[in-house]
Amino acid sequence: MAGEAQSDCLFCKIVAGEIPATVLRRTERTLAFRDIAPKAPTHVLVIPHLHYPNAAELAAAEPAVAGELLAEAGRVAEEAGLKDYRLIFNTGAGAGQTVFHAHVHLLGGKPMTENMV
Ligand code: 5GP
Ligand code: ZN
């Protein structure tokens, strides 16, 4: 069924507590934890408990949960004292996605003024 936990998915295992992570916030539908290989002083991943392969598919199936991901990212930034930060959704291997469970990267704590767009 769409959204069901996948036994071979790293982030489903983190949601289930089967793989440890440094969790900052947990809600009924989302989890925020530190990236294991931080690319900035603050590098947090916010994920839905539900398994969808990327953010667009999550938003199409569960728009309210997709909205909660953004709201939670904002709360994590606020708790970290970040006024300026970047949110990134890699979608597809060619865009750098390596874990195919929807997630948003929250990056901050250093100047990030270089732009790709
Ligand atoms: P992607 O490249 O798919 O957009 O992002 C996946 C992210 O997951 C990467 O930044 C990577 O460092 C992080 N990651 C991979 N394995 C683990 C893990 O076991 N624990 C945590 N906390 N992060 C992980
Ligand atoms: Zn998953």
Side-chain angles (χ1 to χ4, degrees):
M1 213 179 76
E4 255 181 33
Q6 303 292 303
S7 57
D8 58 348
C9 172
L10 176 65
F11 287 179
C12 284
K13 288 180 180 156
I14 288 179
V15 169
E18 292 165 16
I19 289 178
T22 305
V23 172
L24 302 181
R25 295 181 56 86
R26 178 186 278 272
T27 71
E28 232 173 87
R29 285 170 290 272
T30 68
L31 188 70
F33 57 95
R34 292 200 189 281
D35 196 292
I36 204 166
K39 304 286 191 300
T42 296
H43 186 173
V44 176
L45 301 170
V46 188
I47 71 173
H49 293 196
L50 294 172
H51 178 95
Y52 284 92
N54 60 54
E57 291 194 42
L58 171 70
E62 299 278 352
V65 179
E68 282 181 42
L69 275 197
L70 295 179
E72 276 299 293
R75 291 185 190 107
V76 171
E78 194 179 342
E79 287 177 2
L82 292 176
K83 185 170 60 67
D84 304 321
Y85 56 89
R86 186 168 284 185
L87 300 179
I88 297 175
F89 295 91
N90 293 327
T91 301
Q97 188 177 5
T98 58
V99 179
F100 293 86
H101 178 128
H103 55 278
V104 58
H105 294 258
L106 163 65
L107 294 152
K110 69 169 187 181
M112 282 181 292
T113 49
E114 79 289 359
N115 285 322
M116 290 185 70
V117 292

